[in-house]
Amino acid sequence: MPIFEYQCKACCHQFEQLVFSSDEEMPVCPVCQCADVQKLMSAGSVRPNGIPTGSGGFAPPACKPSAGG
């Protein structure tokens, strides 16, 4: 389920909202109730420790740092 970041054009409050594909209306600002909001660009999510294994943990990278580096 995607969570999007928005900024209100009236009061400049930034907020996050869970948005479903079935939602037809834009969210409203939780501070001033204004419907004039702008969707912001968000940073992507990364997995720094690799791809999850079947046990629910993360597999370490197969390579090791070189001794000369």
Side-chain angles (χ1 to χ4, degrees), residues 47 50-59:
R47 295 183 176 181
I51 299 172
T53 63
S55 63
F58 288 96

Side-chain angles (χ1 to χ4, degrees), residues 1 5 10 13 18 25 29 36-37 39-40 55 58-60 63:
M1 291 179 221
E5 295 179 48
H13 177 71
L18 177 64
E25 297 180 16
C29 177
D36 193 12
V37 297
K39 188 186 293 188
L40 302 176
S55 63
F58 288 96
C63 61

Side-chain angles (χ1 to χ4, degrees), residues 11-59:
C11 71
C12 297
H13 177 71
Q14 292 185 4
F15 61 97
E16 296 178 343
Q17 180 148 346
L18 177 64
V19 178
F20 297 99
S21 59
S22 61
D23 292 345
E24 294 181 13
E25 297 180 16
M26 289 290 288
V28 297
C29 177
V31 174
C32 70
Q33 305 303 313
C34 179
D36 193 12
V37 297
Q38 176 181 4
K39 188 186 293 188
L40 302 176
M41 291 289 282
S42 302
S45 177
V46 296
R47 295 183 176 181
N49 293 327
I51 299 172
T53 63
S55 63
F58 288 96

